Amino acid sequence: MTFMKSIGSTAIAICLATMGLADTPTLRAAVLKFGTVNWELNTIQHHGLDAASGFDLEVQGMAGGSAAKVAFQGGEADVIVSDWLWVARQRAAGRDYVFIPYSKAVGGIMVPEDSTAQDLTDLSGMQIGIAGGPLDKSWLILQAYAAKNHEMDLAAETEQVFGAPPLIFGAATSGEVAAAINFWHFGAKMTAGGMRTLLDVSEASADLGLDPETPLLGYVVKGELMRDNPELVTGFAAASRAAKDILATDDAEWDRLRPNMNADNDAQFAALVAGFRAGIPVAGPIDEAAAGRMLELMYDLGGAELLGNATELPEGTFLQNGS
């Protein structure tokens, strides 16, 4: 009799577990196929942090950021990675998008170790390689810093070469350009290759009265998803934070991830780990007043071409306290 009860209890447990799996919602993340965000998403999946938070994470590798945004806007993905300034622009245009902090990592302007340049004025008349375009946020902040501290029109007094991050990386490490501004992970590799930071964007931001602790990059979801399935959104945010906690302290986790990190040597690997860890934002709500100051500065520098109608921080831009 006891044996039959045991069989019956086991069958019920299996049935309930199967039903639970069937009802588990899937969150589709469209991200750059080889982007650094995959390290965090991989950690979520490997440790079952998605299941522990009540959802199943599905990662869709995309060829570029534009493709990810198309998938997101077309309803083929539930979450993408972008900066909150883009989210603010979309909200100002009537699109109900919400930002979940992912990283505060920013780069800087870098020069060869043996460069004679000691500050931005020493780059006058030289070429600067810039990943992205004329509206790159780091480039805009460095221009504002140069104007404030050196009365220098950095754009007018230098020659800019714009290109994709790998191309700028190559131009910088080969000496084709005198200085370079690149995404943080390429900057980490440049540091490992013997380049040095002339001015960090976070330092320039603080000098301009901005808060360098404000995360620039994050996950973007639709307000509709938050209303229809708030547990899915808050569960994803919780899984993201749990993965960050692992990556912040567990060296063995990085050893596991190393084959996916495109690190050519130990120096690059160490620089990438240190850079990612430095970019982990503190837990807790975003300081919206500080974000508002950043947006106003960015609008002054980039105008409607950068931010559209977002002349001030739209209400609801950030997911605060899981709500």
Side-chain angles (χ1 to χ4, degrees):
M1 192 70 168
T2 302
F3 177 70
M4 293 302 293
K5 285 183 178 179
S6 176
I7 292 177
S9 298
T10 301
I12 292 172
I14 292 174
C15 182
L16 290 174
T18 304
M19 290 173 62
L21 288 173
D23 294 335
T24 300
T26 296
L27 187 77
R28 303 164 299 168
V31 297
L32 189 64
K33 189 172 184 178
F34 300 107
T36 59
V37 69
N38 287 282
W39 308 341
E40 178 168 302
L41 299 179
N42 181 292
T43 301
I44 290 174
Q45 292 177 317
H46 179 77
H47 291 278
L49 302 175
D50 50 348
S53 294
F55 71 98
D56 179 49
L57 177 62
E58 176 186 301
V59 179
Q60 305 170 352
M62 310 300 288
S66 296
K69 288 176 180 175
V70 169
F72 178 70
Q73 292 169 328
E76 297 175 8
D78 304 305
V79 60
I80 59 172
V81 172
S82 189
D83 62 77
W84 66 262
L85 293 167
W86 180 79
V87 175
R89 174 173 183 155
Q90 300 307 309
R91 289 190 71 82
R95 300 180 182 91
D96 187 9
Y97 298 167
V98 182
F99 178 93
I100 302 170
Y102 160 61
S103 176
K104 63 177 183 178
V106 290
I109 187 163
M110 304 188 70
V111 297
E113 186 63 45
D114 60 358
S115 171
T116 59
Q118 298 300 313
D119 61 40
L120 295 178
T121 61
D122 295 325
L123 298 179
S124 182
M126 298 184 180
Q127 280 191 332
I128 300 176
I130 303 170
L135 295 177
D136 175 77
K137 284 80 175 179
S138 295
W139 171 234
L140 293 176
I141 287 173
L142 292 170
Q143 288 181 69
Y145 177 92
K148 175 179 178 288
N149 290 278
H150 302 298
E151 297 183 352
M152 178 188 189
D153 187 335
L154 191 60
E157 296 181 37
T158 61
E159 180 183 348
Q160 296 87 53
V161 178
F162 300 104
L167 295 178
I168 298 302
F169 173 78
T173 53
S174 67
E176 293 178 42
V177 293
I181 302 167
N182 212 327
F183 298 162
W184 78 264
H185 52 292
F186 282 99
K189 290 185 175 183
M190 289 155 67
T191 299
M195 297 187 72
R196 61 180 171 87
T197 302
L198 184 65
L199 179 63
D200 194 278
V201 171
S202 61
E203 179 185 342
S205 297
D207 180 85
L208 294 168
L210 306 179
D211 183 2
E213 295 300 313
T214 302
L216 182 61
L217 288 177
Y219 299 107
V220 185
V221 298
K222 295 177 181 176
E224 177 184 354
L225 181 63
M226 288 182 59
R227 289 188 295 274
D228 293 347
N229 198 339
E231 295 82 6
L232 178 57
V233 176
T234 56
F236 175 66
S240 170
R241 175 52 59 179
K244 286 177 171 62
D245 291 342
I246 293 172
L247 293 169
T249 57
D250 190 345
D251 292 339
E253 186 68 10
W254 287 104
D255 291 334
R256 185 186 69 80
L257 289 169
R258 182 167 181 168
N260 303 321
M261 292 173 63
N262 194 29
D264 294 334
N265 50 56
D266 289 345
Q268 284 191 7
F269 173 69
L272 289 169
V273 173
F276 185 95
R277 285 175 166 172
I280 295 176
V282 297
I286 291 176
D287 184 341
E288 295 193 355
R293 291 194 298 272
M294 178 181 285
L295 185 143
E296 290 173 8
L297 176 62
M298 289 293 101
Y299 195 90
D300 289 342
L301 296 170
E305 188 176 358
L306 175 65
L307 285 165
N309 297 323
T311 57
E312 60 183 22
L313 183 68
E315 183 178 355
T317 297
F318 302 112
L319 180 74
Q320 301 283 43
N321 296 322
S323 61

